[in-house]
Amino acid sequence: MSTSYFTDREYGALPAISETIGERVWGALHALMDMRIGNGAFGYRFTEQCPDGKGPCGCDQQAFGRFLQAEVPWVEWPLRCDELPETPVVLDLLEFCAKAVGEPILGSYHSYYGHHHLTWDRAAGLASFVADVNLLFQRNGIAFKLDDDGRAKRILPQPVAQALGWQMFDTGETELDRLLDYARSRFLSPKLDDRRDATEKLWDAFERMKTLEPGSDKRAQADALLDRAAAPGTRMRAALADEAKELTSIGNSLRIRHSEVTQEVIDQSVQLDWLFVRMFGFLRLLLLSSGRSTNPTSAGERR
């Protein structure tokens, strides 16, 4: 069955730019989970047994609720459609459900208790749950999705996705590779705090790169690195020097590398995106110019 609607086909899907799950989407997600509790889909992990000992017959709602409150302690059980959790908590809840879901397969009918005995198709149940959640997100412009394993991922803005798609971290310096790989993977997280952490590691990588070239001190080493990116005395070389100074100043004045009370907190996702892409692009130029990475290819080109 097609999951696209007329407006998607004729006018295009809503851009995935909202990082807040609002009441309308929460209400639908609540119904989605409630339906799967009712049909026994979550019995794949939380199995209710037939009182006559004839096998599984549904979802043990008490066990589901107790484990949910322990694994996602910021939610109240039973869930209420009129009480909207914070977006990161909703994403945790969806991951919890994804780990528990399977497609219920009806077996023999137990007439005395009025239920069927069940088995579960894990792959089909997970795929169906992921598809239903992602359709709700897509139709409402939510910048998150569940991957095939049921883990919540952020849908990156296109410029960020293009920047992070490069395979470029084989610098010959183990710690620098680690910082760059950590920053890129961490920045994919739905959580703003994780992306702040990724931005800090990217600035740490910048500071480390300044010391890779030969030189009598850090200033001389940094100048030597910039000289490999543009010829000394050119306007481009001057522009790169200005950019390096500005990025260093940003890292020291905003709460990126330091946590003094004078540092300003970056509290908007779009601001972090801009800063991360700006620094990432600068580091990519320096890596390529200094011969510390081959000219990268995108994921699509590699295929």
Side-chain angles (χ1 to χ4, degrees):
M1 181 177 65
S2 173
T3 57
S4 68
Y5 282 82
F6 173 81
T7 50
D8 292 336
R9 297 190 301 273
E10 292 297 315
Y11 306 109
L14 286 175
I17 57 176
S18 175
E19 296 188 10
T20 301
I21 296 173
E23 292 181 356
R24 177 171 56 191
V25 176
W26 167 245
L29 292 172
H30 181 278
L32 195 68
M33 292 180 283
D34 206 36
M35 290 163 57
R36 280 170 168 79
I37 290 174
N39 71 4
F42 293 137
Y44 171 76
R45 181 183 179 193
F46 303 105
T47 308
E48 180 182 11
Q49 295 291 335
C50 173
D52 277 354
K54 296 184 180 296
C57 62
C59 171
D60 185 334
Q61 295 188 40
Q62 186 177 70
F64 181 94
R66 287 176 175 173
F67 272 82
L68 173 61
Q69 288 183 296
E71 293 187 24
V72 189
W74 305 278
V75 298
E76 295 295 329
W77 178 259
L79 300 173
R80 293 183 53 175
C81 63
D82 59 349
E83 291 186 1
L84 173 62
E86 295 292 327
T87 294
V89 177
V90 176
L91 297 174
D92 278 355
L93 172 59
L94 292 174
E95 290 190 351
F96 173 88
C97 290
K99 291 191 295 183
V101 73
E103 185 68 29
I105 301 172
L106 300 182
S108 60
Y109 182 69
H110 195 156
S111 59
Y112 183 80
Y113 287 103
H115 63 224
H116 286 86
H117 300 128
L118 303 177
T119 56
W120 288 268
D121 184 330
R122 166 62 175 163
L126 176 60
S128 174
F129 181 75
V130 166
D132 286 348
V133 170
N134 287 344
L135 177 61
L136 293 175
F137 284 171
Q138 180 262 313
R139 289 290 292 170
N140 289 273
I142 305 297
F144 300 110
K145 66 177 181 179
L146 297 185
D147 66 14
D148 291 342
D149 295 321
R151 290 175 295 191
K153 300 287 186 181
R154 180 184 176 219
I155 298 176
L156 297 174
Q158 192 60 32
V160 182
Q162 289 176 340
L164 298 188
W166 299 110
Q167 294 293 322
M168 53 180 287
F169 304 142
D170 186 15
T171 67
E173 214 279 327
T174 302
E175 179 61 13
L176 179 58
D177 286 346
R178 186 192 70 80
L179 288 169
L180 291 169
D181 282 327
Y182 181 93
R184 180 171 57 184
S185 61
R186 192 75 163 171
F187 202 74
L188 299 175
S189 171
K191 299 178 180 179
L192 195 61
D193 282 344
D194 289 346
R195 281 178 264 157
R196 290 193 186 102
D197 182 38
T199 304
E200 176 189 346
K201 293 301 185 293
L202 196 62
W203 252 258
D204 288 344
F206 176 44
E207 293 300 320
R208 190 170 186 87
M209 280 188 65
K210 293 178 183 179
T211 65
L212 295 183
E213 293 291 325
S216 58
D217 54 30
K218 186 175 181 180
R219 174 67 178 273
Q221 291 173 302
D223 284 342
L225 182 63
L226 294 177
D227 287 344
R228 299 190 67 176
T234 63
R235 292 179 180 177
M236 177 57 73
R237 174 63 175 78
L240 292 178
D242 289 342
E243 180 70 351
K245 291 176 184 177
E246 182 63 21
L247 289 170
T248 300
S249 176
I250 288 172
N252 291 330
S253 60
L254 300 179
R255 190 175 295 180
I256 295 176
R257 302 189 65 242
H258 306 286
S259 299
E260 287 87 347
V261 294
T262 55
Q263 263 77 45
E264 183 177 314
V265 176
I266 306 169
D267 58 4
Q268 294 186 31
S269 179
V270 291
Q271 294 172 347
L272 274 177
D273 287 345
W274 171 70
L275 286 171
F276 195 92
V277 170
R278 180 176 176 179
M279 175 61 89
F280 199 93
F282 189 65
L283 295 186
R284 175 175 176 266
L285 170 64
L286 296 180
L287 286 170
L288 291 172
S289 301
S290 63
R292 290 185 171 86
S293 178
T294 57
N295 193 29
T297 56
S298 68
E301 290 171 331
R302 288 194 302 276
R303 288 194 296 269

